Amino acid sequence: MATCAASSQKAEAISLFHVKRLQIGPSGLSRINDPSLNTAMMISSSEDETMELITRLFLVLAAPITALFVSRDALNFGVIQVMVAVALFVLMVAALAFWPRRESGNTEI
């Protein structure tokens, strides 16, 4: 019975982590630093900021392209903007994948 209670508490702590990751403070949203929660699931702030920067960059680039096809007042502008941002990301990855590479070393036979 004690094992069941311990796993129940752990499941509750994990669900609390997913629900209450952020708290509202005087300076806005901030992370809760509670050592009782599973810290292996937390992302460090530098990785979080990097992903946010990349996401914002693609969304900023996608906004004017989306505005060529859809009015900014349209209800689905945000959805189409995200689709264009994903398409831009795919194009960037494809360009990097197929970019010709210079052969290193001596290639003479």
Side-chain angles (χ1 to χ4, degrees):
M1 195 61 147
T3 307
C4 184
S7 64
S8 173
Q9 288 176 349
K10 184 176 180 181
E12 184 179 87
I14 291 172
S15 66
L16 283 175
F17 170 75
H18 289 296
V19 173
K20 296 183 179 182
R21 288 187 304 182
L22 301 174
Q23 65 182 1
I24 299 176
S27 62
L29 292 175
S30 62
R31 277 194 188 277
I32 296 174
N33 294 323
D34 188 357
S36 66
L37 299 176
N38 187 359
T39 57
M41 291 191 297
M42 291 184 172
I43 299 173
S44 71
S45 62
S46 64
E47 291 173 354
D48 200 25
E49 290 172 0
T50 304
M51 286 301 296
E52 183 179 341
L53 180 68
I54 292 169
T55 304
R56 284 180 187 255
L57 176 69
F58 278 107
L59 287 174
V60 165
L61 292 174
I65 297 170
T66 306
L68 292 173
F69 302 103
V70 178
S71 171
R72 289 186 187 261
D73 296 335
L75 294 176
N76 59 352
F77 180 81
V79 174
I80 297 174
Q81 181 184 10
V82 169
M83 290 174 23
V84 171
V86 168
L88 288 173
F89 180 76
V90 168
L91 286 174
M92 184 199 70
V93 168
L96 290 174
F98 294 112
W99 194 265
R101 295 187 184 127
R102 180 181 287 181
E103 293 289 330
S104 62
N106 192 357
T107 57
E108 295 178 19
I109 299 179

